[in-house]
Amino acid sequence: MSTKRFQFGCLALASLLWSVPGWAGSPIVIGTGGASGVYLPTGRAICQLYQQATGATCRALPTGGSFYNANSVRNGDLAFGIVQSDVQYAAFEGTAQFYDNGPSPDLRTLFSLHAEAFTVVAKPADIREFDDLLGKRVNVGNPGSGHRATLNALLAVKGKTEGAFALASELKPEDMTRVMCSGKLDAFFYVVGHPSQAIEEATRRCGAHLVDVSGPDVAHLIEAAPYYSVTVIPGGTYANTPDDTTTFGVRATLMTRSDVDDGDVYRLVKAVFENLEALRRSHPSLATLTAAKMVREGVTAPLHPGARRYYEEVGLLPVEE
Ligand code: GLU
């Protein structure tokens, strides 16, 4: 084909794509989490829906987790990130780990995703409740992780710090099971959707079990925060844990900033909500997602106007005056 005809062909294709409704959109990147978590496959599934709907590229970036993502969205390094609802709240309000930064009133939510439980996985059989971990060798989580942030919130209501553990290692989720199985750790923490591959391996391969996280301190934590709720991991979900495990949990959310383009946010939200069944099927932790819950639960920062526009159009939210 001559260069001229080729150029003409490209132009014609570009203008055709441009004129088809929905075929517009900017390339986007979503900050997710580690290789053994649910954020990464969730980000990939969302990206696939956005790509199919717009033709624009979308990449799910592996990261250290919620805290890293919230910080990156806050300072403009990322436009989108999957973030625990407690971390999103702290970033918006300027509390906890974000206290020194002050509030970030420009942060916005698109929707919430799956429920995540604060999960304690321990190897020695005599660790039956959270307080049995004090003085033990635990993995508190890598610095960018959300589970590290949630653990610190729990320790704070107990008047403790990470110094209460004999060892507080900072392994990434993909390494903690192996190190615990080798006998160098007594327990690890993970705020994650269930069933989790890392926890499945820890319980099946090295005889670990899940530990209850309840009692007056936890009740106080849940009562004081709008984003925590009692969560039960059903008995039998994992090996060595035949009874229900009672703990507390959050929701994962997709977060952005108010200056991110309305049209891009609208198209991303539309691609997800019009193909919710495909998202549900993409991972067992996403199987029970419902549109009504996604626009209401775990929404700890204001909705982005591009997202709200879509929810109002389809009647998921009442039109705001
Ligand atoms: N909740 C974890 C975090 O914020 C990530 C869990 C996952 O990757 O599924 O760091």
Side-chain angles (χ1 to χ4, degrees):
M1 197 193 308
S2 74
T3 318
K4 249 194 165 153
R5 274 184 62 192
F6 177 71
Q7 281 173 346
F8 176 76
C10 289
L11 258 176
L13 182 66
S15 59
L16 178 72
L17 291 181
W18 202 247
S19 61
V20 176
W23 282 89
S26 316
I28 63 170
V29 178
I30 303 176
T32 63
S36 62
V38 179
Y39 286 10
L40 186 57
T42 301
R44 285 191 179 134
I46 292 173
C47 268
Q48 205 181 359
L49 298 177
Y50 178 76
Q51 252 166 316
Q52 276 164 6
T54 64
T57 59
C58 177
R59 195 156 72 92
L61 184 74
T63 72
S66 282
F67 182 64
Y68 176 92
N69 297 341
N71 237 330
S72 304
V73 171
R74 199 181 59 80
N75 66 26
D77 287 345
L78 277 175
F80 298 95
I82 304 182
V83 172
Q84 290 173 202
S85 49
D86 55 344
V87 175
Q88 178 172 257
Y89 179 92
F92 182 77
E93 298 286 345
T95 60
Q97 285 75 12
F98 294 89
Y99 185 81
D100 290 343
N101 304 112
S104 297
D106 293 342
L107 295 179
R108 294 290 177 269
T109 302
L110 281 77
F111 47 78
S112 65
L113 289 153
H114 54 289
E116 297 187 275
F118 179 79
T119 313
V120 179
V121 183
K123 196 162 172 237
D126 60 348
I127 298 180
R128 305 309 313 174
E129 56 179 30
F130 185 85
D131 289 354
D132 294 338
L133 296 165
L134 304 174
K136 296 287 194 307
R137 301 165 306 163
V138 305
N139 189 61
V140 293
N142 57 291
S145 69
H147 33 284
R148 180 87 173 257
T150 307
L151 169 66
N152 278 294
L154 176 59
L155 287 171
V157 292
K158 289 179 175 288
K160 305 257 188 264
T161 64
E162 291 177 5
F165 303 115
L167 171 77
S169 62
E170 299 187 318
L171 299 169
K172 289 197 245 164
E174 44 273 47
D175 298 324
M176 55 199 188
T177 292
R178 181 176 41 80
V179 177
M180 188 168 78
C181 291
S182 75
K184 294 194 185 102
L185 271 181
D186 297 316
F188 65 73
F189 306 103
Y190 206 6
V191 175
V192 72
H194 292 286
S196 146
Q197 192 199 330
I199 297 173
E200 209 270 316
E201 272 181 42
T203 50
R204 191 172 39 81
R205 276 199 13 226
C206 64
H209 62 280
L210 268 52
V211 174
D212 270 343
V213 186
S214 54
D217 297 330
V218 179
H220 181 71
L221 182 68
I222 295 173
E223 212 177 84
Y227 38 79
Y228 289 136
S229 56
V230 175
T231 303
V232 174
I233 304 164
T237 306
Y238 298 103
N240 302 316
T241 313
D243 299 329
D244 286 358
T245 303
T246 304
T247 180
F248 67 101
V250 292
R251 289 200 94 81
T253 65
L254 184 61
M255 180 178 145
T256 188
R257 274 186 322 277
S258 58
D259 64 335
V260 170
D261 184 70
D262 267 34
D264 286 336
V265 172
Y266 177 90
R267 282 182 283 269
L268 178 57
V269 165
K270 187 173 155 86
V272 167
F273 280 74
E274 284 187 351
N275 298 285
L276 209 50
E277 190 44 39
L279 185 64
R280 281 190 205 108
R281 266 186 287 134
S282 70
H283 194 281
S285 294
L286 306 176
T288 58
L289 290 183
T290 68
K293 280 192 182 168
M294 290 167 76
V295 303
R296 286 189 178 83
E297 290 186 6
V299 178
T300 47
L303 286 171
H304 189 286
R308 177 166 269 285
R309 176 154 65 92
Y310 176 77
Y311 302 145
E312 289 180 359
E313 264 177 31
V314 297
L316 271 170
L317 286 181
V319 178
E320 238 179 20
E321 296 299 310

